Amino acid sequence: GSEWSNRKMDKSKARGITYLGKFGRDKVTLSLGALPNHKLVRVSFDLLLMQSWDGSSKTYGESRWNLDVVDGPNLIQTTFGNCGFFSDNNVQNFPDNRPFGAYPAWTGAIEQECLGTIQSWGGANRTFDCSSIYHLVLTFPHSGSNVKLCFQGFKPDKTWGLRNVQVEALSKFAAYSPKEFASLWEKLADDDPMVAFKAKWDLIAGGPSTVAFLADKIPVPVVRNTITDPRDALRLHRTQAVLQVINTPD
């Protein structure tokens, strides 16, 4: 409908999946009004990535993707890779925000090599389906009657689409016990980056109580270059992302 700035539709070559797109170097906005009284907005969607996304490659150039709340916080600023079949182009930032995180392509994807986007680098054994699907659920503080989300790609030849988009207005912040907060704090530095990703968004849903909890964990300004443990550096990065989303006014 008219809530979308671009209503172009396409269908995948494999399995005939219909989606909003395909887009490349585009900004696509979703504008919703007349929201009921609420404390949080939860947006969930499938992100479809097609063609040879190069992740955080310094050789081939970053393949970036962003999601922002217009006049509000940045929710995702990351890179994705669709070339997990190569050993020399197989690193992405997601599920962390760039420039942090160095994970294999397709980390966190619910499906890969699934949409029929065939690309060849010469010969049958170097011909692949360069595609993937990610299901994302992001919850952020918001109280205004209108919300506008901006989905953005940065390269014309790294295409993407959306489907199953759902936006919910939630009336209460998440309420966590001290034990639950302690568990989320530990998960924020989990070896599984998707466990940490979920913990980040669960903490954001706590709103003001999360800010108070984190104030006890990081009571003074931290100088990043004094942190030598990579796990601690990632937890600090994720903690700062939590606070950035909570503290940016809508």
Side-chain angles (χ1 to χ4, degrees), residues 124-191:
N125 63 346
R126 290 179 59 81
T127 299
F128 308 98
D129 182 345
C130 297
S131 61
S132 53
I133 302 175
Y134 292 78
H135 180 69
L136 303 179
V137 181
L138 316 174
T139 305
F140 56 93
H142 186 277
S143 58
S145 59
N146 303 309
V147 66
K148 186 174 184 179
L149 302 170
C150 180
F151 306 82
Q152 183 177 9
F154 292 86
K155 289 187 176 180
D157 62 337
K158 311 302 179 189
T159 55
W160 56 279
L162 302 168
R163 69 192 302 260
N164 297 326
V165 181
Q166 183 173 5
V167 178
E168 302 167 84
L170 307 179
S171 61
K172 297 178 180 179
F173 291 111
Y176 300 122
S177 67
K179 184 176 180 180
E180 288 170 326
F181 266 129
S183 175
L184 289 172
W185 175 252
E186 289 304 313
K187 289 177 180 178
L188 207 57
D190 198 275
D191 290 335

Side-chain angles (χ1 to χ4, degrees), residues 7 12 24 29 50-51 58 86 91 98 104 107 111 132 157 160 178 192 201 207-208 213 230 236 241 247:
R7 287 174 276 170
S12 67
T29 58
M50 294 146 285
Q51 297 177 287
K58 290 180 172 59
F86 292 136
V91 179
R98 60 186 291 275
T107 295
E111 295 187 61
S132 53
D157 62 337
W160 56 279
D192 183 338
W201 292 101
F213 169 76
L236 175 61
N247 290 330

Side-chain angles (χ1 to χ4, degrees), residues 32-62:
L32 299 173
L35 273 64
N37 290 335
H38 61 284
K39 299 291 188 183
L40 297 164
V41 164
R42 180 165 60 211
V43 56
S44 58
F45 58 96
D46 292 338
L47 174 63
L48 285 65
L49 303 178
M50 294 146 285
Q51 297 177 287
S52 55
W53 286 63
D54 296 312
S56 53
S57 173
K58 290 180 172 59
T59 302
Y60 302 103
E62 289 184 321

Side-chain angles (χ1 to χ4, degrees), residues 1-247:
S2 60
E3 65 271 16
W4 289 100
S5 64
N6 191 326
R7 287 174 276 170
K8 180 169 59 174
M9 301 290 290
D10 206 346
K11 184 179 288 189
S12 67
K13 294 178 181 178
R15 296 163 50 194
I17 295 174
T18 301
Y19 59 90
L20 187 73
K22 67 180 66 153
F23 306 115
R25 187 172 58 199
D26 296 292
K27 289 183 178 181
V28 181
T29 58
L30 171 62
S31 302
L32 299 173
L35 273 64
N37 290 335
H38 61 284
K39 299 291 188 183
L40 297 164
V41 164
R42 180 165 60 211
V43 56
S44 58
F45 58 96
D46 292 338
L47 174 63
L48 285 65
L49 303 178
M50 294 146 285
Q51 297 177 287
S52 55
W53 286 63
D54 296 312
S56 53
S57 173
K58 290 180 172 59
T59 302
Y60 302 103
E62 289 184 321
S63 293
R64 295 167 52 200
W65 193 85
N66 281 16
L67 173 56
D68 294 282
V69 182
V70 176
D71 297 324
N74 167 262
L75 303 181
I76 291 181
Q77 179 181 234
T78 195
T79 65
F80 289 99
N82 256 350
C83 296
F85 30 75
F86 292 136
S87 61
D88 62 345
N89 187 18
N90 186 23
V91 179
Q92 66 181 35
N93 293 128
F94 184 83
D96 279 304
N97 282 340
R98 60 186 291 275
F100 286 85
Y103 308 108
W106 298 317
T107 295
I110 59 171
E111 295 187 61
Q112 62 196 52
E113 299 180 271
C114 54
L115 299 173
T117 311
I118 306 301
Q119 291 186 244
S120 180
W121 286 264
N125 63 346
R126 290 179 59 81
T127 299
F128 308 98
D129 182 345
C130 297
S131 61
S132 53
I133 302 175
Y134 292 78
H135 180 69
L136 303 179
V137 181
L138 316 174
T139 305
F140 56 93
H142 186 277
S143 58
S145 59
N146 303 309
V147 66
K148 186 174 184 179
L149 302 170
C150 180
F151 306 82
Q152 183 177 9
F154 292 86
K155 289 187 176 180
D157 62 337
K158 311 302 179 189
T159 55
W160 56 279
L162 302 168
R163 69 192 302 260
N164 297 326
V165 181
Q166 183 173 5
V167 178
E168 302 167 84
L170 307 179
S171 61
K172 297 178 180 179
F173 291 111
Y176 300 122
S177 67
K179 184 176 180 180
E180 288 170 326
F181 266 129
S183 175
L184 289 172
W185 175 252
E186 289 304 313
K187 289 177 180 178
L188 207 57
D190 198 275
D191 290 335
D192 183 338
M194 290 307 295
V195 170
F197 181 78
K198 184 177 185 305
K200 181 178 83 171
W201 292 101
D202 286 345
L203 282 167
I204 290 169
S209 60
T210 293
V211 174
F213 169 76
L214 293 177
D216 288 335
K217 291 294 183 181
I218 308 178
V220 296
V222 177
V223 179
R224 187 181 298 279
N225 61 14
T226 64
I227 298 175
T228 56
D229 187 331
R231 194 165 180 257
D232 288 340
L234 270 177
R235 174 149 54 187
L236 175 61
H237 165 69
R238 292 162 182 161
T239 299
Q240 291 174 329
V242 167
L243 294 172
Q244 177 265 328
V245 172
I246 293 175
N247 290 330

